[in-house]
Amino acid sequence: SESLADFYGNEVDVHLLEDRIKVAGFVLQDVDNEGHCQFDAIARQIRLFHRDYQHLEGAQTYTFSQVRIDVSRWLRKVQNEERQWMMGFLAVDYDGRDWEEFCDKVENSKPGKCKPIMWGNNLTLLAASCAYQRTIRVWLSAPSTSLEPKPYLDISPIGDCIEPTVNEASVRPLQIAHVFERHFMTVVPLAWPQRNL
């Protein structure tokens, strides 16, 4: 069987990522690789810890399509002033000419409906963090630096999107992994039986 490193063609990055999360008590689990990997990695975290997401209908069977819808709904609620600085993170040729087109591309996950299928990016990670009221811990394959010595990056809900009823310190973060410039995966505890999420 083909290893993750063989499949993604970057053995050094994948092995570094596997080593980093193993030390923390986790293993990688692959996800959809047809343009939905970021959204599928998040959906698998919601399914894995579905008891934390009882407010989401069908959390035990959540899919990348549902995550795309949740993220686009949150993005559509963003006020004009915030949209202006967020648009600075987008590539017009790929992400859309305006905010509505960008939100449409985030939401549309059916082949043929949106060509090419829009991959997740930093802005969709931030929107997911806000939509689910969770920090998203992204384990990185990129080498650590003196500016970023941790092997992960925490993306937390921002500003007005934080609900006063949510105590961020008591909430388990969503944990996903990123093979630099290639692919997102989900991260599961080593102690859990390996099952298909």
Side-chain angles (χ1 to χ4, degrees), residues 156-182:
S156 298
I158 58 166
D160 295 339
C161 77
I162 300 171
E163 297 290 329
T165 57
V166 174
N167 178 357
E168 182 71 19
S170 68
V171 176
R172 176 189 355 244
L174 295 165
Q175 302 220 38
I176 63 177
H178 186 241
V179 178
F180 186 67
E181 296 297 328
R182 292 184 185 263

Side-chain angles (χ1 to χ4, degrees), residues 25-72:
F26 298 104
V27 294
L28 291 175
Q29 188 174 66
D30 205 6
V31 300
D32 178 277
N33 65 355
E34 298 294 322
H36 307 290
C37 60
Q38 183 188 97
F39 305 101
D40 196 30
I42 292 168
R44 288 170 186 251
Q45 286 288 297
I46 290 170
R47 289 196 305 263
L48 182 64
F49 298 109
H50 60 88
R51 288 184 184 91
D52 293 350
Y53 298 91
Q54 292 179 6
H55 62 287
L56 295 176
E57 187 175 331
Q60 287 181 285
T61 58
Y62 232 61
T63 66
F64 65 78
S65 293
Q66 289 165 296
V67 172
R68 282 181 171 277
I69 289 167
D70 293 342
V71 167
S72 68

Side-chain angles (χ1 to χ4, degrees), residues 63-101:
T63 66
F64 65 78
S65 293
Q66 289 165 296
V67 172
R68 282 181 171 277
I69 289 167
D70 293 342
V71 167
S72 68
R73 282 183 183 155
W74 185 86
L75 287 165
R76 289 179 200 281
K77 292 179 186 176
V78 172
Q79 300 301 311
N80 282 334
E81 307 81 53
E82 293 162 327
R83 286 182 186 183
Q84 293 306 312
W85 73 262
M86 289 181 178
M87 286 294 289
F89 292 98
L90 304 179
V92 174
D93 293 342
Y94 178 74
D95 295 320
R97 292 180 306 275
D98 59 34
W99 191 254
E100 281 306 311
E101 186 176 350

